[in-house]
Amino acid sequence: MPELPEVETTRRGIEPLLRGRQVEAVRVHDRRLRWPVSPRLARELAGHSIVAVERRGKYLLLRSPGGTLILHLGMSGSLRVCDAGAPRGPHDHLELLLAGGRALRLRDPRRFGAAIWTTADPLRHPRLRDLGPEPLDPAAFDPAWLYRRTRGRRTPVKTAIMDARIVVGVGNIYASESLHLAGIRPSTPAGRLSRPRCARLVDAIREVLEAAIAAGGTTLRDFSDAAGRPGYFARSLRVYGRGGEPCPACGGPVRRTLIAQRATYHCPGCQR
DNA sequence: CGAACCTCCTGCGGGC
DNA sequence: TGCCCGCAGGAGGTTC
């Protein structure tokens, strides 16, 4: 489910409620996430306060003096801050009980998400250390980088921009959206992109992600922010999920294809 | 190294 | 109404 805009929307929602707040206890209701939740988490986080809520790619980092909780929402995860006594759903697997009677809950029906506890530098954790640049940081993600990292690669450009070692945060929705905005066909071999087209694509990715964050993310089915509200970017989607509908730019029909087994949407008229 | 493919898991909507 | 199938926003792991 969540790509960078949804994760950032979540981060912005939970940060003011978590920062400076003590975690009184940790409840693990089901440790069977992508990797089993470490038993050390409850022992070593309880009693500490959250000092920062950061994001790296699609990962959230909850820092405390005792260590860092690294969260990933997978396909179906969401975080919610609620009253500690509010009824718990069957997929609320992890719960941080906060001072003041509230709780942060991780809900994840498919359990593709992760909750990783580390007392070391989280940015050097194997899950994070090889991540590429943040797309919203112009100093980190720029046309020269994209150009260099795609040379010699025959993989479709859509697959390349979904590769977190090239750039983080772009998932299946925003890959199609960015390529449409940039006028680039998703199946184009990444290594054949010219420098100017790399520049257009970098701009498009940034523009799409920023607009999506401003709208609170995309809710297709079940994404909701920390307060349980949906995101409103779905109505701004230009091609994703719109196979057969008219392209907003030229009016021609949007085509649905399959790239690397993932649904892909583009306008054959606008994208070359 | 790159590329193709498979995998984890639950829920939902469509077709019959 | 019920059942079966395909599909879903991610990404790690294996194999060649």
Side-chain angles (χ1 to χ4, degrees):
Chain A
M1 154 185 47
E3 305 183 33
L4 187 148
E6 292 73 39
V7 177
E8 177 61 19
T9 295
T10 300
R11 192 198 68 76
R12 292 181 185 185
I14 64 174
E15 198 242 351
L17 299 159
L18 287 187
R19 191 162 35 88
R21 190 152 306 254
Q22 188 183 36
V23 178
E24 293 181 336
V26 178
R27 299 265 157 78
V28 181
H29 303 289
D30 191 340
R31 50 179 82 259
R32 299 172 303 160
L33 297 184
R34 170 135 212 173
W35 297 281
V37 178
S38 165
R40 292 175 51 201
L41 166 63
R43 272 203 317 271
E44 298 180 16
L45 176 56
H48 288 292
S49 290
I50 304 297
V51 295
V53 180
E54 300 166 10
R55 180 188 56 74
R56 177 75 177 97
K58 298 175 189 168
Y59 290 91
L60 287 169
L61 279 60
L62 276 52
R63 293 186 185 261
S64 85
T68 302
L69 177 57
I70 303 171
L71 296 172
H72 195 288
L73 301 179
M75 287 276 262
S76 59
S78 60
L79 286 170
R80 183 102 167 243
V81 175
C82 59
D83 289 331
R88 196 163 50 78
H91 303 297
D92 292 336
H93 305 310
L94 176 68
E95 196 171 16
L96 305 190
L97 301 179
L98 307 169
R102 310 214 79 198
L104 175 76
R105 287 177 180 169
L106 171 66
R107 169 175 307 189
D108 186 2
R110 293 174 75 178
R111 290 189 278 114
F112 289 176
I116 301 165
W117 174 250
T118 180
T119 51
D121 177 359
L123 298 179
R124 292 200 189 144
H125 189 278
R127 297 276 74 78
L128 277 73
R129 70 182 172 209
D130 297 324
L131 292 179
E134 288 289 331
L136 301 183
D137 178 357
F141 181 54
D142 64 16
W145 167 269
L146 181 61
Y147 184 81
R148 183 157 68 79
R149 290 304 309 264
T150 50
R151 288 315 90 185
R153 295 194 56 172
R154 281 171 298 177
T155 196
V157 60
K158 184 200 175 216
T159 306
I161 60 174
M162 291 175 66
D163 181 342
R165 290 163 305 179
I166 292 178
V167 59
V168 296
V170 180
N172 204 40
I173 295 179
Y174 300 113
S176 283
E177 292 298 300
S178 302
L179 288 162
H180 182 264
L181 187 58
I184 297 168
R185 198 166 284 210
S187 58
T188 304
R192 305 209 64 87
L193 276 189
S194 65
R195 286 180 192 274
R197 305 189 89 202
C198 282
R200 276 228 298 283
L201 184 50
V202 165
D203 285 346
I205 289 171
R206 202 164 281 145
E207 189 175 329
V208 166
L209 295 180
E210 281 175 351
I213 292 171
T218 299
T219 297
L220 290 183
R221 163 171 290 143
D222 56 6
F223 170 72
S224 58
D225 69 10
R229 293 177 305 241
Y232 297 105
F233 196 69
R235 62 183 170 206
S236 302
L237 294 175
R238 303 153 62 97
V239 291
Y240 185 87
R242 300 194 187 279
E245 294 179 35
C247 164
C250 76
V254 170
R255 184 175 297 169
R256 180 190 192 272
T257 59
L258 220 49
I259 291 180
Q261 340 283 1
R262 312 288 307 271
T264 304
Y265 299 86
H266 80 286
C267 170
C270 296
Q271 295 173 258
R272 294 287 158 190

